[in-house]
Amino acid sequence: MIMPAAARPPSAPPVSTGATDGGEDGEGTVGDRVDRTMQAPPGQDVVGSAEWDLLTDDVRWSAEAYRLLGCDPGRGPLSLDRLPDRLNEADRPQLRRMMTDALVHGRYAFGTLKVRRPGGEHGMIECAGEPVLGTDGTVTALRMLLRPANPA
């Protein structure tokens, strides 16, 4: 299972910013900066990260999140209300429960979801969502880590 951000070591890489435009080497870039913050070392799982700021409507995804969710970096990240569009219909209620746990109840949310990718392909991903609380205790953002699910 993916470790929630609060449990990750302080040296864990931050969530990258904005959409990527893909460089010659296939790595995403943010502006003029190549985003290497979430690349997994050889032999380890690829982990993508996403963050939705509820106060500013800012959405940030790592290059791996785009790949895992089958989204085009040139179109930018999906808003929370568009995220269910990437899922198999049967998994949408589970995502709604996860989002309710995180956004309404302020709890960590975990689950395995089936993602629809371009070309009709499907893939299973594990998701771990973490609410970010403001000084008054209300949820101000949602952070999510994604990785390919290990076949059972």
Side-chain angles (χ1 to χ4, degrees):
M1 181 60 47
I2 300 173
M3 190 180 341
R8 284 183 284 146
S11 61
V15 174
S16 66
T17 59
T20 60
D21 59 12
E24 282 182 44
D25 57 1
E27 294 174 337
T29 59
V30 178
D32 293 329
R33 178 176 61 82
V34 174
D35 178 10
R36 292 185 176 94
T37 58
M38 291 299 295
Q39 291 181 348
Q44 292 189 4
D45 283 335
V46 172
V47 176
S49 62
E51 182 173 339
W52 293 267
D53 187 314
L54 304 176
L55 301 178
T56 64
D57 289 331
D58 184 37
V59 182
R60 299 179 298 168
W61 284 10
S62 69
E64 288 77 10
Y66 283 97
R67 284 192 283 274
L68 289 167
L69 292 169
C71 292
D72 178 4
R75 294 177 153 234
L78 297 174
S79 61
L80 279 175
D81 62 329
R82 300 299 303 187
L83 189 59
D85 296 347
R86 301 304 311 152
L87 300 182
N88 186 26
E89 186 76 32
D91 285 354
R92 291 178 186 179
Q94 181 181 356
L95 179 64
R96 280 193 296 275
R97 282 189 298 276
M98 291 170 61
M99 291 174 121
T100 299
D101 280 348
L103 299 174
V104 176
H105 303 295
R107 298 187 295 236
Y108 293 106
F110 304 95
T112 302
L113 303 168
K114 190 173 194 175
V115 177
R116 288 183 307 112
R117 297 196 175 108
E121 296 178 30
H122 288 85
M124 298 297 289
I125 59 169
E126 290 181 348
C127 304
E130 169 189 42
V132 177
L133 303 179
T135 56
D136 63 355
T138 60
V139 176
T140 60
L142 174 64
R143 290 183 186 142
M144 191 176 288
L145 294 178
L146 312 161
R147 75 174 184 180
N150 294 329

